[in-house]
Amino acid sequence: MAFGDGDSIDPLAVDGRAEKSGLNQASSAKWGPTNAQIKSRERVRDLAEVYTHKREVDAMLDLVAPMFPSEGDPANTDRTFLEPACGSGNFLEEILRRKLAFVSVARYGRGDRYEHRILRCVASIYGIDISQDNVDESRDRMRAVVNSHLDNDLNTKVVSDAFASAVEAILGTNIILGDTVADADRINLVEYRASHGCTFIRTWTTLDAASREMDLFAAMTPKCDARPVHFKELASHPEPVPALLNGVEA
């Protein structure tokens, strides 16, 4: 699902949970004033960068409400969103917040199942931008949303170190630098398909190959995991994993 460029920047306070989660703490100070629609005239000139107001972001996402979890379908957290010009992450931030609203300890318990469900929310959101500053800021804001959610839901409990590493691995593959118009054949995307036992099966493809199909990841590609990968192993296995033969990697 593709949307337009980013929104006004709404700084998100990050507290002690950032340390407890192991995620990098985002600096809200650099995000500029609330609802600012441009960062500078130079960026407007060089990048054609103008942000949309938050009310428009909310209104647009409200139009696709069935794409998000709800009281009637709380497990609907895996729908894929692709923002081809994500700016500083305004749509990405709100998409993630809406997905996480239905991920709670009360529903999933503490531990791997809870952490895996949060990762499923993060892994189904993609953003591409031509500015490295925007890519970095988008990742920061996604981290901040996760940190805020953990702080509100876990109270004094902490997540595993491997969870933080998995978040970083997913943000590294999903929020990326690129020109979606000129370089679609060189932009690599990784699908994270949730599997049993808190695992993922990843498939690699290029943006141009995916865009030729109705489904973002319907294009056939030989590059994929030969077996499910536990989320705690994502960071240590950035490339496709081989099948196991008698319990040993083939």
Side-chain angles (χ1 to χ4, degrees):
M1 188 74 181
F3 296 102
D5 196 57
D7 168 38
S8 59
I9 297 168
D10 225 351
L12 177 62
V14 181
D15 53 22
R17 174 59 58 185
E19 295 180 2
K20 295 183 178 69
S21 71
L23 298 177
N24 295 329
Q25 184 165 340
S27 172
S28 61
K30 69 179 180 180
W31 293 346
T34 301
N35 292 335
Q37 292 190 272
I38 66 171
K39 289 184 177 179
S40 70
R41 294 181 183 276
E42 291 75 20
R43 290 180 71 90
V44 175
R45 180 194 64 211
D46 298 338
L47 302 174
E49 181 182 79
V50 178
Y51 298 106
T52 312
H53 195 281
K54 187 179 188 306
R55 62 176 174 266
E56 274 73 50
V57 172
D58 289 337
M60 291 178 71
L61 294 181
D62 288 345
L63 293 174
V64 292
M67 295 281 289
F68 295 99
S70 62
E71 291 294 344
D73 188 10
N76 183 28
T77 54
D78 297 313
R79 302 294 287 272
T80 301
F81 288 80
L82 167 65
E83 230 291 36
C86 67
S88 60
N90 306 290
F91 276 102
L92 305 180
E93 178 185 65
E94 182 58 27
I95 290 167
L96 181 57
R97 185 178 291 114
R98 293 185 182 207
K99 284 175 175 273
L100 290 178
F102 287 85
V103 179
S104 65
V105 169
R107 180 167 283 119
Y108 295 103
R110 292 186 174 91
D112 285 4
R113 185 165 173 255
Y114 176 78
E115 294 178 12
H116 185 243
R117 181 63 65 161
I118 293 176
L119 292 172
R120 287 168 64 169
C121 294
V122 178
S124 55
I125 302 172
Y126 298 81
I128 305 168
D129 200 82
I130 59 175
S131 166
Q132 186 63 55
D133 288 346
N134 282 341
V135 170
D136 293 341
E137 190 168 327
S138 294
R139 290 173 180 170
D140 280 348
R141 294 177 72 174
M142 296 281 276
R143 293 185 190 102
V145 172
V146 173
N147 284 330
S148 178
H149 180 77
L150 294 174
D151 185 54
N152 292 330
D153 197 43
L154 283 183
N155 195 10
T156 59
K157 303 297 182 180
V158 298
V159 292
S160 66
D161 291 340
F163 169 82
S165 297
V167 170
E168 294 303 318
I170 292 169
L171 291 178
T173 61
N174 286 25
I175 314 299
I176 56 177
L177 182 69
D179 185 332
T180 56
V181 176
D183 300 324
D185 60 333
R186 293 191 291 274
I187 295 175
N188 294 309
L189 300 175
V190 180
E191 176 192 22
Y192 292 81
R193 181 160 53 88
S195 189
H196 59 84
C198 299
T199 62
F200 290 98
I201 298 175
R202 298 166 297 176
T203 301
W204 281 256
T205 188
T206 58
L207 179 61
D208 68 326
S211 65
R212 290 194 293 267
E213 304 290 339
M214 291 296 292
D215 186 317
L216 182 61
F217 290 101
M220 296 301 293
T221 173
K223 190 174 181 181
C224 61
D225 290 319
R227 58 178 172 84
V229 182
H230 196 279
F231 76 80
K232 293 183 177 180
E233 298 178 339
L234 289 176
S236 59
H237 292 82
E239 295 295 324
V241 298
L244 293 178
L245 182 61
N246 296 324
V248 180
E249 289 189 354

